[in-house]
Amino acid sequence: MKSLSGGIDIGSESHHVIIMDDTGEVLYDRKVAHQFSEFHKVIGEFKGIEEREQGVIAFAIEGKNGYGAPFDRILIENGFKLYNVDNLKLRRFRDVFGSEWRNDRRDAKMLAKMLRLKDHMDAQEEKAFIAVEKPSAVHEKLRILSRHQQSLIDEKVRIQSRLRKRLLEVCPDILEHGDTNSKKLLQLLKKYPDFSRYKKITLGALLKIETIGKKTAVSILEGLRNIQYVEELTGIYKALISSYCHRILELKEEIKMLDRELEEAGQKSAEVMQLKSIKGVGTKLSSRLAGEIGDIRRFNRESQLAVYCGVACIDDDSGKSKRTKAVYKANRICKATMIEIAGCTIRYVQESKTYYEKKRAEGKKHNHALRCLARQLIKVIFKMLTENREYIYKEELKKAA
C-alpha cells in the first residue's frame, strides 16, 4: 500500500491539515475547527482518502498534547499513525526548504514534506520522528495531576513572594513571627490584616485564630501589641494582605488534596512504588517523574532517558575546542524533578552524598554537582524501571552476600 504523508499545524481554535502522496501531490488541504463534530467529520474524510488512494496516512505534528488534544487522541484511536516532530530538526528543515513568508498552510505543508523523508532522516542513534502512542490511564492521570499540582505550587510561591514584599514595605517586624509559608502567620494576617488593630489585640482574640494555641498566643502577644508599621500604608495594604493570605491558604489545601489523589493513583503504578523506594523521594516527585516518563520501553538506552530528562552532557566539539552544551529538546518538568530528586538523595542516601561531595571537591559548584548526580541517578532509575525492581542499598547487598 502507498504511504501518504500528512502534516497538521496546531492552533488554539483551528488546525490546518495537508495530506500528500509519495510524489508530493496535495490530496487534502483544509482548516479544521477545534470541535468534536469537525474532528469526526475529517476522520471519515481521511479514511475515504485511504480507500481511494489504496494507501495508509501517517501524520506529523509539532508538539503533542497542548492545543493538539483531543485531536491527536482521536487520530490514534481511529488507527492513524501519529509522529511528534523534533522541533530543532523541523526548524532546520524550514530554513532549508522554507521561504521568507509563512502561514498555517505552509507550516502544515512543511510537516508533510518532512514526514515523506522520514526513512532518510531517522537514524538509529537519534530519531527526528517520535511515534505518539496513547498512554496508560494511570500514567496519564499521574501526569495531569502532577502538572496541575506543580502549577499550583508555582502560583503559591509567586503569591508568597508578593506577600513578603508587601509586609517588608509596611511591617517588616511581623516576619519575626513566621515566614509567608507559616499557617499561623497566614491565619493571623487573614483575620487581622490591619496592623493598627494590633495595639488592642487580646489573648482571647488570638486563641480564636485557627492553628494558634495558648503557648503561641502568649509568646507573641506582647510583640504584636508593640509592633511598628507604616501608618500611611496599612489602610491601603490590608485588602492586598488579606487577599494574598486567603489565596495561599486555599492553594495549600488544594495541593494537599492533590497529594492524596496522587498517593491513591500512585498505589496503582508499579513505577511510582519503585521510585518511592529511594530514600528521600516521596509521592510528588515519584508521581511527577513516572507520569512524564510514561512507558520506560520507549527508551532503548539510559542515555536516551538522560537526554529526555535534560541531564545529559552533549558534545559540542569543533577542531581543538572541546566543549559540552545543554540539551535543547529536554522535558523541562523531568529535568527540574531529577535535580530535586538529586538534592533529596544527598540527605538520605550515602552513595549520593559521597558522589556529591566528590564533585564539590573537584571544584564544581552546587548546581553543577547536582546535575552530575542527577545524571548518575538516571542510570539507577533506568535499571530499576527496566528490571521492575526497587532500589537496592549497599547494606542490603552485603546482607544478601
Side-chain angles (χ1 to χ4, degrees):
M1 297 184 78
K2 290 195 298 184
S3 294
L4 307 176
S5 305
I8 305 175
D9 181 69
I10 301 296
S12 59
E13 296 180 357
S14 63
H15 318 291
H16 203 104
V17 182
I18 282 184
I19 299 172
M20 55 177 61
D21 61 16
D22 49 8
T23 65
E25 182 185 348
V26 175
L27 306 174
Y28 188 88
D29 182 357
R30 67 162 285 195
K31 198 174 280 288
V32 180
H34 193 83
Q35 298 171 355
F36 271 105
S37 57
E38 280 284 285
F39 296 152
H40 294 307
K41 180 181 178 182
V42 297
I43 290 295
E45 293 172 352
F46 297 160
K47 289 183 176 179
I49 292 171
E50 284 185 329
E51 188 177 340
R52 185 179 71 244
E53 298 292 327
Q54 293 295 298
V56 177
I57 305 174
F59 291 97
I61 60 170
E62 183 183 5
K64 63 185 178 70
N65 299 315
Y67 289 125
F71 193 22
D72 51 2
R73 179 190 292 269
I74 292 171
L75 286 168
I76 294 169
E77 287 174 350
N78 281 274
F80 293 101
K81 199 72 176 175
L82 194 62
Y83 292 98
N84 186 30
V85 180
D86 184 300
N87 293 342
L88 180 61
K89 289 182 173 60
L90 177 59
R91 186 189 300 175
R92 297 287 183 265
F93 188 81
R94 280 174 178 156
D95 291 342
V96 175
F97 296 100
S99 60
E100 293 182 4
W101 56 273
R102 58 170 291 190
N103 54 30
D104 295 346
R105 183 180 182 277
R106 186 155 188 83
D107 285 347
K109 196 170 186 179
M110 286 294 106
L111 285 163
K113 280 185 175 181
M114 189 175 176
L115 186 59
R116 283 177 57 212
L117 302 173
K118 177 182 177 298
D119 294 338
H120 303 284
M121 298 181 73
D122 269 349
Q124 186 64 32
E125 293 295 320
E126 188 175 1
K127 294 187 179 294
F129 300 89
I130 301 169
V132 180
E133 297 175 354
K134 188 177 178 181
S136 70
V138 174
H139 284 144
E140 189 167 31
K141 185 175 183 178
L142 288 172
R143 179 176 56 79
I144 291 170
L145 290 179
S146 62
R147 284 189 178 189
H148 179 54
Q149 187 186 58
Q150 187 59 48
S151 70
L152 295 181
I153 292 170
D154 293 341
E155 184 185 350
K156 182 170 76 75
V157 170
R158 284 195 300 271
I159 297 174
Q160 284 176 335
S161 298
R162 292 171 192 166
L163 175 60
R164 186 174 184 278
K165 184 175 183 297
R166 296 303 183 193
L167 293 176
L168 287 170
E169 290 171 356
V170 66
C171 183
D173 293 355
I174 195 69
L175 291 169
E176 293 177 6
H177 301 289
D179 60 25
T180 53
N181 197 42
S182 166
K183 265 194 171 184
K184 291 178 181 179
L185 180 63
L186 291 169
Q187 291 288 3
L188 173 65
L189 292 171
K190 176 185 170 184
K191 183 76 174 178
Y192 296 103
D194 188 350
F195 298 109
S196 64
R197 298 177 61 188
Y198 285 24
K199 289 180 182 179
K200 298 179 181 179
I201 201 165
T202 64
L203 184 63
L206 287 176
L207 290 172
K208 289 179 181 178
I209 298 172
E210 190 180 342
T211 72
I212 295 182
K214 188 173 182 179
K215 187 177 178 180
T216 303
V218 171
S219 66
I220 68 173
L221 180 60
E222 194 61 31
L224 292 176
R225 283 176 174 173
N226 297 314
I227 205 161
Q228 296 183 21
Y229 57 90
V230 181
E231 293 183 13
E232 294 85 357
L233 293 178
T234 187
I236 302 169
Y237 279 13
K238 65 181 182 181
L240 296 176
I241 291 169
S242 177
S243 173
Y244 288 152
C245 291
H246 271 87
R247 185 57 186 148
I248 293 169
L249 289 167
E250 284 176 0
L251 287 167
K252 278 177 169 288
E253 288 303 313
E254 288 179 44
I255 291 166
K256 191 184 291 186
M257 180 193 71
L258 284 169
D259 268 338
R260 291 193 292 269
E261 289 194 40
L262 284 168
E263 186 75 49
E264 186 182 328
Q267 296 291 335
K268 301 174 184 176
S269 169
E271 293 88 346
V272 171
M273 303 311 292
Q274 288 156 13
L275 291 170
K276 284 178 71 175
S277 68
I278 304 173
K279 290 179 183 176
V281 180
T283 303
K284 286 182 191 175
L285 295 176
S286 56
S287 298
R288 198 181 307 158
L289 189 62
E292 294 298 329
I293 291 175
D295 189 346
I296 193 64
R297 291 173 297 182
R298 296 194 298 145
F299 307 96
N300 296 323
R301 300 179 301 282
E302 54 85 16
S303 57
Q304 291 180 339
L305 180 61
V307 170
Y308 179 77
C309 292
V311 294
C313 290
I314 305 297
D315 291 333
D316 190 26
D317 298 345
S318 179
K320 295 181 180 180
S321 174
K322 304 292 181 184
R323 299 176 299 181
T324 58
K325 64 178 181 179
V327 180
Y328 172 78
K329 54 188 178 182
N331 181 317
R332 286 181 289 183
I333 297 173
C334 274
K335 183 176 182 179
T337 305
M338 282 305 306
I339 297 298
E340 202 170 339
I341 287 174
C344 291
T345 58
I346 290 171
R347 299 194 290 272
Y348 299 100
V349 182
Q350 185 57 46
E351 294 87 348
S352 293
K353 184 179 180 182
T354 303
Y355 184 84
Y356 171 80
E357 289 173 347
K358 174 189 169 186
K359 291 299 170 183
R360 290 305 303 267
E362 291 174 1
K364 291 180 170 58
K365 293 185 178 179
H366 171 70
N367 288 343
H368 191 174
L370 277 184
R371 287 196 296 272
C372 293
L373 176 56
R375 177 65 185 89
Q376 298 305 311
L377 285 171
I378 281 290
K379 297 177 182 178
V380 176
I381 289 170
F382 182 79
K383 200 162 183 66
M384 286 168 56
L385 297 181
T386 50
E387 294 180 0
N388 194 26
R389 64 169 175 81
E390 295 185 349
Y391 186 84
I392 302 174
Y393 293 90
K394 276 190 175 180
E395 297 84 358
E396 295 175 7
L397 287 173
K398 288 177 182 177
K399 287 178 184 177

